Structure formats: structure tokens, C-alpha cells
Amino acid sequence: MAAAQGRLSDGADGMDDTKEGDRDGSGTAPPAFLAAVQALRGSRLRPQIEVESTRAPQRLAPFAYALEATVVDGDQDLADGRLVLLHDPDGHEAWRGAFRLVTLVRAELEPEMAADPLLPEVCWSWLTGALSARGLSYGEPSGTVTRASSHYFGGLAERPAASQIEIRASWTPREGLGGVPDTAAHLASWCDLLAQVAGLPPAGPGDASVVTLPQRRDPQSR
């Protein structure tokens, strides 16, 4: 299985981005945040999901760490996403906690599936179900599910119509010992969601947390 730890797009070691959000200018992140990030970087994931660290947003919280992932089948990309860990040592009223996870997940779908009126509710249930399947406690979930269709004309008229599903969501992971949430388990749940959206089979015998979707049309080639 692939480790979640990877390279930053700018070649940094994965923690430099936190310094811009350090309000006291010391450049030292809180121990709880460092522990949460280390758990993310040390996670072991199914090999079809390629994960690497990337530059985190700077204005959402004093400290942030981000991962991006691609679900790969041979030379095809079936889905992709981004997971951001936010931390405010003073707590955040809207989060009702000191940590927040924010995600974006995208995949192409058959147009017929994209037209299903129940698809948004089903996709949202994939997220909450992935968290519940691993026994994770969380609060204040919020998000959107967006369906988009592209039709091509003129010089692009030969391309078949394409449909995409996009899930944007955030939730507050419950903090454990030392005020540190189980970020490794949340990452695993997020990868379960990616696998569901991509239509991968279950990760192992008896694993019902991943539901296979019908085959997509012309997944994006790498």
C-alpha cells in the first residue's frame, strides 16, 4: 500500500505552509496539530489511491495541511480529490472544535447516472456512511453535491457529452487524547469515499464500505 506522505508541489517538506498562519510569528506549530499531521503523513492506503501533500490554503485557519489524491486504474484517472486539515488552537465557533476537515472530490459519470434525481442525496450518504463505517465521531457536517454536464460543439463536436459529480464538504473530527483527532482514520474514510465515487470494488473480502458504481464513460487518461 502507498503511504500518504508525499512531496509538495514546491518541493517543501510539508510543514512550511503552516508558518504563514502562525499568529505569534514563532514558526512553531502546536503539538496537537503536529501530531495530527504526522498521523496523516504516516497513513497506509490502498494502492489504487495515489496521495501526496500539496500547498495548503493560508487564510482559513492559523494552521493548515493539505493532501491531494487520485484514484488510478492502470493508466486512467477515475476520480480525484483534496483533503485539508485546519487547526485553530483557540477553537472556532462555527466548527465547535479546534480542528476541521475540508474536502473536494470529483469524478466523471455516465450522463444517465448524472440525471438521477436521487444522486446528490446518495453521494452525501457516501460521505457520512464512510465516516460511520469506521466508527468515527464527528460534528457540524456541511457541504454541497454538484452535477455538471458538458456538451461539445464546432471543432469539438466529435467528443461525447460528459458529466461530472463534485462533492464539497467539511466536518469537525472529534478530538481524542491530547486534543488530537484520529486523522489517519478520517483519511481512510475519505479514501473510502474516493473509491466509491470512482467505482472501485471493495478493498477486501467482506468490506461493504465501498459500493461499486456502474462503469464510467471514457475516464480521463493519465
Side-chain angles (χ1 to χ4, degrees):
M1 293 185 178
Q5 182 172 348
R7 61 174 179 81
L8 276 171
S9 57
D10 62 356
D13 65 2
M15 295 305 300
D16 288 351
D17 288 333
T18 65
K19 295 179 180 178
E20 294 184 23
D22 192 343
R23 291 169 300 179
D24 64 11
S26 68
T28 302
F33 178 71
L34 293 175
V37 169
Q38 186 58 41
L40 289 174
R41 292 170 65 89
S43 296
R44 309 296 296 181
L45 309 171
R46 60 190 297 176
Q48 298 96 332
I49 301 179
E50 298 180 353
V51 181
E52 64 180 8
S53 54
T54 187
R55 181 171 294 279
Q58 300 299 322
R59 297 179 178 86
L60 299 181
F63 303 94
Y65 182 79
L67 296 170
E68 58 185 11
T70 303
V71 181
V72 178
D73 182 16
D75 63 349
Q76 297 176 333
D77 292 351
L78 302 180
D80 62 75
R82 180 179 173 92
L83 183 69
V84 181
L85 175 68
L86 305 176
H87 179 54
D88 187 337
D90 296 331
H92 193 290
E93 182 178 357
W95 303 350
R96 297 187 180 274
F99 286 89
R100 188 75 170 171
L101 286 163
V102 182
T103 186
L104 165 66
V105 172
R106 299 174 298 190
E108 291 195 8
L109 299 175
E110 286 282 0
E112 295 80 6
M113 178 178 292
D116 185 341
L118 296 179
L119 183 63
E121 288 79 6
V122 170
C123 288
W124 183 255
S125 73
W126 289 342
L127 170 62
T128 58
L131 293 168
S132 298
R134 292 184 179 270
L136 292 171
S137 180
Y138 62 96
E140 307 304 317
S142 63
T144 62
V145 177
T146 304
R147 292 176 291 188
S149 297
S150 299
H151 299 266
Y152 301 93
F153 302 93
L156 302 177
E158 294 183 358
R159 292 189 182 182
S163 297
Q164 186 181 71
I165 192 73
E166 180 180 275
I167 304 171
R168 293 178 180 267
S170 63
W171 64 95
T172 299
R174 292 307 181 205
E175 298 165 17
L177 186 65
V180 183
D182 189 351
T183 51
H186 281 272
L187 174 59
S189 293
W190 181 67
C191 288
D192 291 343
L193 171 64
L194 276 170
Q196 285 181 300
V197 172
L200 291 184
D207 184 354
S209 63
V210 179
V211 179
T212 302
L213 283 175
Q215 179 63 43
R216 274 123 189 100
R217 184 198 309 271
D218 297 332
Q220 179 181 353
S221 296
R222 292 168 65 79

